[in-house]
Amino acid sequence: MELKNMVSMVARSGRQLQRYNKGQRQVVGCIPYRLKCTNMGSDKNLEDALEVLVISAQRKGKGMLFPKGGWESDESIKEAAQRESLEEAGVCGTVEGQLGKWSFKSKGNDGYYEGHMFPLLVKEQLDFWPEKDIRQRVWVSVPKAKEVCQYSWMKEALDLLVTRLESTPSSNL
């Protein structure tokens, strides 16, 4: 096994280090993405070149989503985003500028959450990661991600990512 694939095989658990803001648990997530072709001409559509990584929810039958989880007090927000992407999806890369912040109600209880989302330009996809045995990961198109993603706030973040990438000069893609 290559050294780069030797990550801690245990995801963080427990809530003792969780951050809260006015009673809302703070969670951080990423939209892992890649571009199928890096030379985008004027005849190329960004959505044809862009793929995003969705993962299965931990609970069976609860749909697909982007990696996200608790932001802990011993890490920066970008470190939390990177950790969640590694633990849940087994991908590493560059965490880019924040897409936004959303307040949403938990699907599992009556709690409210504050969700922060970032784009993650994937540089590496690992064969082994902490939640490999409990999650599936799938690269999909933007329209497919909007169809299968269970959270409306994550779909909004995806729209913001597409808008941001469309406004980036193609020489930077």
Side-chain angles (χ1 to χ4, degrees):
M1 180 186 310
E2 292 181 350
L3 185 59
K4 66 184 176 187
N5 269 333
M6 296 194 58
V7 298
S8 169
M9 294 310 285
V10 178
R12 282 186 169 198
S13 62
R15 300 271 168 96
Q16 62 273 21
L17 296 176
Q18 292 293 291
R19 292 179 190 245
Y20 288 83
N21 182 21
K22 298 178 184 167
Q24 293 185 337
R25 182 170 171 238
Q26 294 182 303
V27 296
V28 179
C30 278
I31 300 177
Y33 77 94
R34 66 184 180 190
L35 296 167
K36 290 188 277 187
C37 60
T38 55
N39 186 10
M40 301 247 310
S42 59
D43 60 335
K44 297 279 186 180
N45 180 335
L46 175 68
E47 285 196 8
D48 291 338
L50 180 63
E51 288 183 311
V52 295
L53 187 68
V54 292
I55 60 171
S56 59
Q58 221 171 356
R59 293 176 303 208
K60 294 272 188 239
K62 296 296 180 183
M64 304 296 277
L65 63 150
F66 296 113
K68 65 132 180 77
W71 175 16
E72 299 186 356
S73 60
D74 64 343
E75 61 192 350
S76 72
I77 195 168
K78 285 190 172 185
E79 287 170 340
Q82 287 179 319
R83 177 181 51 76
E84 289 297 336
S85 296
L86 177 64
E87 286 179 357
E88 295 186 353
V91 291
C92 305
T94 304
V95 176
E96 299 172 345
Q98 186 168 342
L99 293 165
K101 178 175 76 172
W102 289 264
S103 181
F104 64 96
K105 190 174 186 305
S106 168
K107 289 187 182 271
N109 60 44
D110 287 333
Y112 282 86
Y113 289 70
E114 179 181 281
H116 303 262
M117 288 297 284
F118 293 85
L120 177 85
L121 177 57
V122 174
K123 303 287 187 187
E124 184 176 10
Q125 183 170 303
L126 303 175
D127 294 329
F128 305 97
W129 68 97
E131 297 188 10
K132 178 184 182 1
D133 293 334
I134 59 173
R135 294 195 191 269
Q136 296 174 345
R137 64 182 179 193
V138 183
W139 286 100
V140 297
S141 67
V142 169
K144 183 68 174 177
K146 288 179 187 177
E147 178 185 321
V148 301
C149 184
Q150 64 175 315
Y151 292 109
S152 60
W153 65 276
M154 287 186 173
K155 294 176 190 183
E156 289 177 27
L158 180 56
D159 286 338
L160 291 169
L161 173 60
V162 170
T163 299
R164 182 182 294 177
L165 292 174
E166 285 174 341
S167 66
T168 302
S170 61
S171 61
N172 292 344
L173 294 179

